[in-house]
Amino acid sequence: MTVADPDPAARAALEALSTARVAQTSSTAERVADALREQVVEGRLLPGARLGEQAFCDAMRVSRNTLREAFSQLVAERILVREAHRGVFVTTPGVADVHDVYRSRRIVEPGAVRSGERAHDEAAVALVRRAVEEGRAAATAADWSGVADANQHFHRALVGLAGSTRLDQQMDLLLAEMRLTFHLMGTHRDFHEPYLERNDAVATLVERGELEKAALEVADYLADAEARIVAAFTGGRS
């Protein structure tokens, strides 16, 4: 598949990172890794983008040692890949990655909806609805990148119903890998538009307290999404 030119892709992330609060005197490699991961989740760092050390050190105001430690963390998370004599690049996912990520999501997301400690918490449920409305507003404006952002926020909010910091952190890793996959799917509209209604349906069930039905809908939704992505990656071959 064709991957976007990494230089323009990295420039957008560098702009955003230049305002991130990761100054050398108050940050750690973990915080730098968090900031870089968020650029992937929000779609600013694309598959195949090369991360030049000096440019990212300058943008984030950190030392090379700190950046390299952050890179190593993200390589371990499979968000970045280090290639000998070439540098560090954003990962380009394959079919095996898609299967593994969705295997994890089918355990985490329905479980968070079905039995999450915050599944009846008004503030937590409101975040789910807010992500749905964010997606609808973006679609009305034909902002399909914004729809993709909203979809990420929706699934993050679903896992937020669990009330678990550890699951929130794990979901951030999964969302970063998923955003890389979405970029390889082509036009955001083609992939995300069908899920606007499904997001709304899940949010409505959660608001009604019909958590088992909501969990089953999430599981079906994820199975359908996985099948569509795998078909696109393989040209319809199983």
Side-chain angles (χ1 to χ4, degrees):
M1 296 190 179
T2 301
V3 176
D5 177 4
D7 294 327
R11 279 199 293 271
L14 285 168
E15 263 183 51
L17 288 167
S18 68
T19 61
R21 295 185 178 182
V22 289
Q24 184 71 41
T25 56
S26 61
S27 69
T28 64
E30 186 174 349
R31 288 183 61 194
V32 173
D34 289 344
L36 287 167
R37 190 186 307 108
E38 188 67 13
Q39 297 307 300
V40 174
V41 171
E42 294 299 324
R44 297 190 184 98
L45 281 174
L46 308 184
R50 184 178 184 278
L51 308 189
E53 281 191 4
Q54 192 58 56
F56 278 83
C57 285
D58 292 345
M60 304 181 78
R61 303 178 299 281
V62 296
S63 70
R64 282 180 181 265
N65 285 341
T66 297
L67 185 69
R68 286 170 181 171
E69 187 177 344
F71 279 175
S72 293
Q73 180 176 331
L74 295 175
V75 167
E77 293 172 6
R78 296 176 297 278
I79 294 169
L80 302 181
V81 60
R82 184 177 282 110
E83 297 185 12
H85 311 300
R86 294 193 65 221
V88 175
F89 297 80
V90 179
T91 296
T92 300
V95 172
D97 300 306
V98 173
H99 284 311
D100 198 27
V101 167
Y102 271 94
R103 190 176 298 121
S104 300
R105 292 183 69 187
R106 284 195 300 272
I107 294 170
V108 173
E109 294 187 48
V113 171
R114 180 180 288 112
S115 55
E117 289 193 5
R118 300 192 68 201
H120 296 285
D121 180 272
E122 288 186 8
V125 173
L127 290 176
V128 177
R129 173 56 63 186
R130 184 184 305 171
V132 172
E133 298 306 320
E134 178 189 352
R136 289 191 179 280
T140 298
D143 175 10
W144 298 103
S145 180
V147 172
D149 292 342
N151 195 55
Q152 297 281 86
H153 303 158
F154 175 78
H155 289 284
R156 183 180 268 161
L158 285 184
V159 174
L161 298 175
S164 167
T165 300
R166 288 173 175 81
L167 283 180
D168 288 342
Q169 292 171 340
Q170 184 59 41
M171 191 58 181
D172 281 344
L173 305 187
L174 293 172
L175 287 175
E177 290 194 77
M178 284 312 308
R179 193 57 180 264
L180 296 176
T181 299
F182 295 159
H183 281 300
L184 299 178
M185 288 293 291
T187 307
H188 286 305
R189 178 172 186 169
D190 292 343
F191 183 73
H192 288 293
E193 188 171 34
Y195 297 106
L196 290 169
E197 292 301 324
R198 296 192 78 163
N199 288 355
D200 180 70
V202 170
T204 298
L205 289 169
V206 172
E207 289 166 337
R208 291 175 180 169
E210 299 180 43
L211 301 181
E212 182 61 29
K213 287 184 179 179
L216 291 173
E217 174 60 24
V218 171
D220 287 345
Y221 172 137
L222 293 174
D224 290 347
E226 179 182 4
R228 289 183 67 202
I229 292 170
V230 170
F233 273 40
T234 62
R237 301 184 305 277
S238 58

